[in-house]
Amino acid sequence: MAEGGPQTRRSTPATLHDVAREAGVSLATASRSLNGSVRKVNEEYRERVLAAAAKLGYTPNLSAQAVARGTSTTVALLVADIADPYFSSIAAGVVGAAGDDRLIVTMAETKRDAERELELVRAMRGQRPRVMILSGSRTIGDPNAVALEAELTAYEQTGGRAVFISESDLPFRTLPLANRSGARDLAVELHGLGYRRFAALTGPETLRTTHDRVAGFAEGLASVGIRVPDDRLVRTAFTRDGGYDGMRRFIEAGLGDTQVVFALNDVMAMGAMSAMRDAGLEPGRDLAVAGFDDIPTVRDVTPRLTSVRMPLERIGEQALRLALDDEADAASARAASADVSTEVVIRESTPRVEA
Amino acid sequence: MAEGGPQTRRSTPATLHDVAREAGVSLATASRSLNGSVRKVNEEYRERVLAAAAKLGYTPNLSAQAVARGTSTTVALLVADIADPYFSSIAAGVVGAAGDDRLIVTMAETKRDAERELELVRAMRGQRPRVMILSGSRTIGDPNAVALEAELTAYEQTGGRAVFISESDLPFRTLPLANRSGARDLAVELHGLGYRRFAALTGPETLRTTHDRVAGFAEGLASVGIRVPDDRLVRTAFTRDGGYDGMRRFIEAGLGDTQVVFALNDVMAMGAMSAMRDAGLEPGRDLAVAGFDDIPTVRDVTPRLTSVRMPLERIGEQALRLALDDEADAASARAASADVSTEVVIRESTPRVEA
DNA sequence: TTGAAAGCGGTACCAC
DNA sequence: GTGGTACCGCTTTCAA
């Protein structure tokens, strides 16, 4: 391209001022016609302003509005990894619900790093978001927790609303997820199918979600008098690759007489099934597999994966509702969490055990 | 919870003013110490300001900064459906790259609706984002195209940068995706494996991506003297359920002697494989299947899915780079698109055809 | 270097 | 109802 060639004149966006002048009314009137709360503007003026705005291609400057009004229309969302179906589904719920309320959602990734998360919270506060939703699981004994609490407390004290998806131990609104009871139910159902010898592919023990799901699963089994041997609790990363790697190691170390392995989330389960195949084992036949979350793709793997359904999109929606709902008394929180309860979905990866 | 219980006093965030007062310096000095471009502030003052800011928990108000500076640090991202792995991977790329540049990304979903997309572009302009990335495929003959072009032109004229991921016909920067050549390569490779009779599960014919992939596939086959019969081009939705439904219909209508079906994207392919199984057919054995995009989960389905790899995260990154790169001469665009080229990945879903 | 002050684009209170 | 105007929080000239 030729340099210095003809170039459309670069201008600046039309301002409310421009609109008012064009319409021949005052700034105040223009503001009222375009955004004003209760309409109390002469119809004729109103129309002139609207016409002027259209003609000029005026779009209100949200930043300016935020400054003037002292409140923004932003909701900040923190996820561990947006490419992970668990988080992208939650994000879809948040984005959808936010759109309904004409709120804008900004997003950042913690990469499962507590330090980074803290920095991000700090950075996002700069946007003065109305709501901040933190969706990664908490880390037990996280040294950053106190700093995070301080940061969020300051945030709330200045008018913001922090919401955790999944329990946090921190004193903020929380959308509790039925990790524990879901895992418990799963254990019982599996027992009902005839399974007696279990293993689990778990995440870092400091991850609260890991802890809750393992605990729930153990409880469920305990209720029928079964225990998972320690050497059948394989610790690995909470990701697909973690699932693959954990299963590979487990196979190498010897499955023993294990009948079914509970992978703490679906992506891990999917990785685990791949590892089995790579080792010449057929999931569902040589070893049953169950996951957790019920992400959409578990219907499309073979065998279809038994899982614990979490209504992820709805969880995203409810988290936002919980934050926005200002009479967020216990009742509303209860309603929200009831709405996101789990359900065990038995599929082919855990066939009934023949007697 | 008791109503009207003790409640921490709700205050407003510390302002630069507060910091300046606390540090005993002027507003200007405080501003310069905290953000100022070239440092030219007495070290002692600087420290006092920093200390005051820390003490007060000061975070600059991004909106106010945007208003005062006349430029924001926002990048707006439009996707069709964030829960779809294709888009969530691209989003991950954008979010990652934006984070490196300390940019904030805001996201909205078009739900594949051109009307809605137009509205969203309009709404997002209110944020005065530095960059706007539109990642859904274009619709051929979209009546909204002219309005969209007008809106984006106005946006660019006022300093913004619009970038399309995938060709658009609209006069804006574009990160071209190798849909056509990728599909062409796939066709040739499949032919090389011995396949001779093809079918395709395609999206709406008005969807540019559909068009390009179908055209490329047809070209590739044409180069080896093969043609896909019209009645083996099944039109369906560009989603997992579309793939399922299209395959179901195709099976009902009769597969004939079809050897392999090309699903225009991986999620469709996964749906299609499930439909086959539900109909008692084994993918890869009774009928080969190939997809496109190479989303992460295709490694974990059975049989592993042959696909055309698109470096989705990198695509997201490059789209942002392309927008930000101000000497975005042809060279940079070329470099970016070279970086996002495709590669056919043959897996078990398309076994070599025995002679 | 530092500080006073004039904006930036809007909102909303206060008279008229 | 309408317009004048004092802010909102921050940046950036411009003098001192």
Side-chain angles (χ1 to χ4, degrees), chain B residues 33 51 118 303 311:
Chain B
S33 322
L118 181 57

Side-chain angles (χ1 to χ4, degrees), chain B residues 10 53 60 67 80-81 83 86 89 110 114 126 155 178 192 243 312 324-325 354:
Chain B
R10 146 88 181 277
V67 173
D81 172 11
Y86 174 86
S89 294
T110 65
Y155 169 62
L312 299 173
L324 259 22
D325 194 354
E354 305 304 337

Side-chain angles (χ1 to χ4, degrees), chain B residues 106-172:
Chain B
T106 73
M107 199 170 65
E109 286 188 332
T110 65
K111 297 291 186 191
R112 300 189 160 81
D113 176 341
E115 198 98 31
R116 187 183 164 91
E117 177 181 48
L118 181 57
E119 278 170 27
L120 283 173
V121 167
R122 241 193 280 270
M124 301 208 103
R125 280 190 62 194
Q127 307 174 45
R128 304 287 184 270
R130 232 222 246 327
V131 172
M132 193 131 74
I133 299 178
L134 311 242
S135 71
S137 168
R138 295 299 90 201
T139 296
I140 298 171
D142 173 13
N144 285 296
V146 27
L148 183 62
E149 176 174 346
E151 198 69 38
L152 289 177
T153 299
Y155 169 62
E156 290 215 319
Q157 238 142 224
T158 55
R161 242 344 151 189
V163 169
F164 281 94
I165 289 180
S166 188
E167 289 79 350
S168 73
D169 282 340
L170 267 43
F172 302 98

Side-chain angles (χ1 to χ4, degrees), chain A residues 257-270:
Chain A
D257 57 0
T258 306
Q259 293 173 301
V260 57
V261 47
F262 169 39
L264 255 62
N265 65 222
D266 288 340
V267 292
M268 290 175 76
M270 289 174 55

Side-chain angles (χ1 to χ4, degrees), chain A residues 118-137:
Chain A
L118 180 58
E119 279 170 26
L120 283 174
V121 167
R122 240 193 282 269
M124 302 207 103
R125 279 190 64 193
Q127 306 173 43
R128 304 284 184 271
R130 231 221 245 327
V131 172
M132 192 131 66
I133 299 178
L134 312 240
S135 71
S137 169

Side-chain angles (χ1 to χ4, degrees), chain A residues 16 31 35 58 61 65 68-69:
Chain A
L16 189 58
S31 173
N35 319 302
Y58 171 76
N61 182 321
Q65 287 191 155
R69 291 185 172 143

Side-chain angles (χ1 to χ4, degrees), chain B residues 16 31 58 61 65:
Chain B
L16 189 57
S31 173
Y58 171 76
N61 182 322
Q65 287 192 156

